[in-house]
Amino acid sequence: MSAEFSFTVHATDEQARLGAISTPRGVIRTPAFMPVGTAATVKAMSPDAVRALGYDVVLCNTYHLMLAPGAERIAALGGLHRFMNWAHPILTDSGGFQVMSLARLRKLSERGVIFQSHIDGSRHELTPERAMQVQRLLGSDIQMQFDECVRLPCEHEEAERAMRLSLRWAERSKDAFGHEPGRAIFGIVQGGTEKDLRRFSAQGLVETGFHGYAIGGLAVGEPQAAMLDMIDIVVPHLPSDRPRYLMGVGTPDDLLRSVKRGVDMFDCVLPTRAGRHGLVFTRRGRLNLRNARFADDARPVDPLSSSPMARDYSRAYWRHLAKSGEILGMMGLTEINLAYYHDLMSGARQAISEGRLDAYITEAQRNWAEGEAEGR
């Protein structure tokens, strides 16, 4: 633990890095997956339960929290950590993606975005300055620049316009962030699936200078190969002494392939959202527990899971809860998925330390494929 924000690489395995992000609120072991707690809660999980699984950091969202209950209210109540009773690091997304994907009647300008809330239609404005102000009021440990995230696919001209605007907003975000001892601001590389734009964005952000660098605007419907190609393009242009964060990703296979390419941090709603709908991730692949074939299946979900929910209850029981809409079903299956994601990243960290990440990935992929072949 450190009084300042810092990042240390402890070991490498080709491009992959084993490291640690130190903050006043604790150490984030990398590669790290961050559970998404959009509105100051990881859905169907208590903060204590998330911590008990071994997680070091969670993600919350500026857009949602500024709409409800309000950043000023959270600040008056002691800040986001106290508000949600999570004493460990928090990363906040700046809200740019949500403005573009959720808000109604957006009006984009050089200044920022004026939009109507998707909740009640109320009118709001987000600018780089306001996004950083909200994150300061929340008191998050890692804060993201405000950016524009375009929908893919899009024309080169549109991707370039949004990328250049995001670069200008990055400078304003950094200026508005100022100096916050112990806290960090990350820039976000944009540029769609255009190689030249991604390089230009990465180089521009590095010139501006940030504590860490994210790759945004991916995992929004493009093929996995295109996402991985953009990572390969961007990573060589990012400083080796700063953390790299791939936003909104992803599947277990996405995570491992990206770790191999030198990415340190991830977030995605997939494990929590899937769990609430009866889909679980295991060493043998995905199981849709709502399927009829599990109605009489007395086997545990995964006997080697770190979660007792996966070890001590039958698939038949979880299917019953999922089909019945029971709250315990949502809670238990969410925990199973988050436990799997944590185990996956913990295993990757161990594999990097031992110089055997390729073998670890190959084994994981073989287990997933064999599980699917067996109809599990």
Side-chain angles (χ1 to χ4, degrees):
M1 193 176 300
S2 169
E4 292 294 334
F5 179 94
S6 66
F7 175 63
T8 304
V9 176
H10 295 304
T12 60
D13 185 354
E14 296 183 357
Q15 294 297 109
R17 294 120 62 91
L18 173 71
I21 297 170
S22 295
T23 79
R25 292 189 180 273
V27 173
I28 304 168
R29 297 162 292 177
T30 63
F33 180 80
M34 299 181 287
V36 175
T38 301
T41 174
V42 177
K43 288 184 173 59
M45 295 285 289
S46 72
D48 287 346
V50 173
R51 182 63 175 176
L53 290 176
Y55 282 101
D56 300 325
V57 56
V58 297
L59 177 148
C60 298
N61 186 261
T62 292
Y63 170 88
H64 290 277
L65 291 173
M66 70 175 279
L67 294 181
E72 286 77 8
R73 175 170 289 152
I74 291 175
L77 290 169
L80 187 55
H81 295 84
R82 180 178 296 178
F83 185 62
M84 63 184 290
N85 196 30
W86 175 263
H88 317 288
I90 295 174
L91 181 148
T92 44
D93 187 358
S94 68
F97 177 80
Q98 287 73 26
V99 167
M100 304 307 165
S101 62
L102 294 179
R104 296 180 289 184
L105 300 177
R106 299 177 300 272
K107 182 177 181 181
L108 178 71
S109 69
E110 184 70 28
R111 173 180 167 83
V113 184
I114 296 174
F115 64 92
Q116 282 188 316
S117 164
H118 72 289
I119 300 172
D120 60 8
S122 57
R123 185 182 176 90
H124 301 269
E125 182 180 36
L126 260 181
T127 65
E129 293 76 17
R130 175 57 177 163
M132 302 316 301
Q133 179 190 37
V134 170
Q135 292 179 84
R136 186 181 306 111
L137 288 166
L138 296 175
S140 53
D141 305 279
I142 301 175
Q143 303 172 14
M144 304 302 298
Q145 73 149 102
F146 189 57
D147 65 330
E148 181 188 0
C149 181
V150 297
R151 298 181 183 275
L152 296 180
C154 70
E155 297 297 326
H156 186 283
E157 181 180 3
E158 173 65 4
E160 181 174 9
R161 181 203 59 75
M163 180 274 294
R164 290 184 179 274
L165 178 62
S166 293
L167 277 180
R168 296 192 294 273
W169 283 358
E171 293 184 3
R172 288 168 54 190
S173 295
K174 184 184 178 185
D175 288 344
F177 175 83
H179 179 63
E180 294 190 49
R183 295 195 169 100
I185 178 173
F186 283 21
I188 304 176
V189 178
Q190 290 289 358
T193 53
E194 307 294 338
K195 295 180 180 180
D196 60 325
L197 300 184
R198 288 284 178 176
R199 290 192 198 97
F200 188 90
S201 177
Q203 292 165 350
L205 290 171
V206 172
E207 289 178 8
T208 300
F210 290 90
H211 297 98
Y213 297 88
I215 305 173
L218 295 175
V220 289
E222 80 282 357
Q224 184 194 60
M227 179 189 76
L228 297 177
D229 194 22
M230 292 303 103
I231 297 171
D232 288 334
I233 290 296
V234 168
V235 163
H237 298 282
L238 300 179
S240 61
D241 63 346
R242 305 295 169 91
R244 305 163 183 160
Y245 166 27
L246 181 58
M247 305 182 75
V249 175
T251 68
D253 190 53
D254 289 339
L255 266 60
L256 292 184
R257 290 176 186 266
S258 302
V259 165
K260 178 178 172 63
R261 288 163 167 79
V263 177
D264 307 299
M265 302 169 67
F266 306 88
D267 81 278
C268 189
V269 298
L270 181 58
T272 49
R273 179 177 291 168
R276 297 196 305 276
H277 292 87
L279 180 67
V280 291
F281 294 90
T282 78
R283 292 174 303 109
R284 291 290 181 177
R286 305 182 188 191
L287 301 176
N288 185 350
L289 295 178
R290 298 179 68 88
N291 287 348
R293 70 174 182 271
F294 296 114
D296 299 304
D297 193 337
R299 294 175 296 170
V301 170
D302 187 343
L304 298 182
S305 171
S306 62
S307 169
M309 295 293 189
R311 300 191 310 265
D312 300 342
Y313 299 84
S314 71
R315 299 175 181 191
Y317 182 62
W318 290 123
R319 179 184 185 273
H320 159 66
L321 296 184
K323 293 288 288 183
S324 302
E326 287 289 342
I327 295 172
L328 179 60
M330 299 179 191
M331 295 169 63
L333 298 181
T334 297
E335 178 176 316
I336 289 171
N337 283 346
L338 288 181
Y340 177 74
Y341 270 62
H342 179 268
D343 293 349
L344 188 73
M345 289 292 96
S346 179
R349 292 193 294 268
Q350 183 69 27
I352 294 169
S353 73
E354 298 171 355
R356 57 175 184 85
L357 181 64
D358 280 344
Y360 177 74
I361 294 174
T362 298
E363 180 182 9
Q365 293 171 335
R366 182 175 63 247
N367 285 337
W368 297 331
E370 289 176 354
E372 291 170 357
E374 296 168 2
R376 291 167 59 108

